[in-house]
Amino acid sequence: MGQAEQVRETAGAALAGSGVVVEDVAVHPAGKRRLVRVGVARDVAHLLADDLSTPVEPLTLDEVADASRVVGSALDDSDAMGAAPYTLEVSSLGVDHPLTTPAQFRRNVGRLLRVRLTPTEGKAGDPTTQTETESRLTEAGPDGIRLDGGTQTPEGLLPYDRIAAARVQVEFTRPGGKDN
């Protein structure tokens, strides 16, 4: 097991039950030290099965600070980092982070997304070009997403395997008057 996987396992166990989950881990050499970056997010596992559309509040600064303390303590008490010194950075994932999992989509219901679709076969068998759409995410579940007025199947669901790339778009004012 690599060092990043050990950090992910240790951090995940330390955060279990806190409402915060580990989304991303990277370990980079930085001179004689190592830089350990842990991306965290709100846990939505309990929402995926039955609630597809309620907006999820992002983590607060206090929640990220608490997660940082918990993860730092767990790493110090484990052998995941070995004896060499390291610097720990715990943060929530920014809008530039691509959406790749159902949980990441679920956390962003209500947000404006730019979604690039995988090519599909045309009527004559020629692959169509990849299409891109910018729409508001209205639902996200275990099998796919619904976009407000966006490209979807006749059933209204856009399956995850049709999504080549998706990113949240920065909005200075979201509907409902809530700022980003």
Side-chain angles (χ1 to χ4, degrees):
M1 178 182 304
Q3 196 163 47
E5 290 84 17
Q6 288 178 335
V7 170
R8 180 183 295 274
E9 188 175 290
T10 301
L15 292 171
S18 70
V20 177
V21 294
V22 175
E23 278 288 308
D24 192 40
V25 172
V27 179
H28 304 284
K32 294 182 181 183
R33 303 179 69 80
R34 287 161 294 162
L35 175 60
V36 179
R37 289 190 170 131
V38 178
V40 294
R42 184 162 313 281
D43 187 5
V44 293
H46 63 286
L47 295 176
L48 288 177
D50 56 1
D51 179 357
L52 307 178
S53 61
T54 303
V56 175
E57 291 295 318
L59 292 174
T60 66
L61 290 176
D62 288 339
E63 288 172 312
V64 174
D66 290 344
S68 183
R69 283 189 286 277
V70 168
V71 169
S73 180
L75 288 176
D76 288 345
D77 293 344
S78 77
D79 62 352
M81 295 307 300
Y86 65 92
T87 300
L88 175 65
E89 288 181 6
V90 176
S91 63
S92 60
L93 299 177
V95 294
D96 60 333
H97 194 277
L99 305 180
T100 58
T101 68
Q104 290 170 345
F105 280 94
R106 181 61 190 87
R107 280 184 207 99
N108 286 287
V109 164
R111 306 287 301 263
L112 186 64
L113 301 185
R114 176 162 289 151
V115 178
R116 186 170 32 95
L117 304 174
T118 57
T120 58
E121 292 294 320
K123 289 183 181 179
D126 296 326
T128 59
T129 60
Q130 290 186 342
T131 59
E132 193 167 279
T133 185
E134 190 169 282
S135 292
R136 193 155 309 280
L137 178 62
T138 58
E139 289 184 7
D143 300 319
I145 64 173
R146 290 186 202 285
L147 298 170
D148 184 24
T151 304
Q152 302 172 92
T153 64
E155 299 79 34
L157 183 72
L158 180 59
Y160 291 115
D161 64 359
R162 286 280 330 276
I163 301 170
R167 290 189 189 272
V168 172
Q169 298 302 292
V170 175
E171 296 179 274
F172 293 103
T173 305
R174 293 199 303 191
K178 196 168 189 179
D179 292 340
N180 246 4

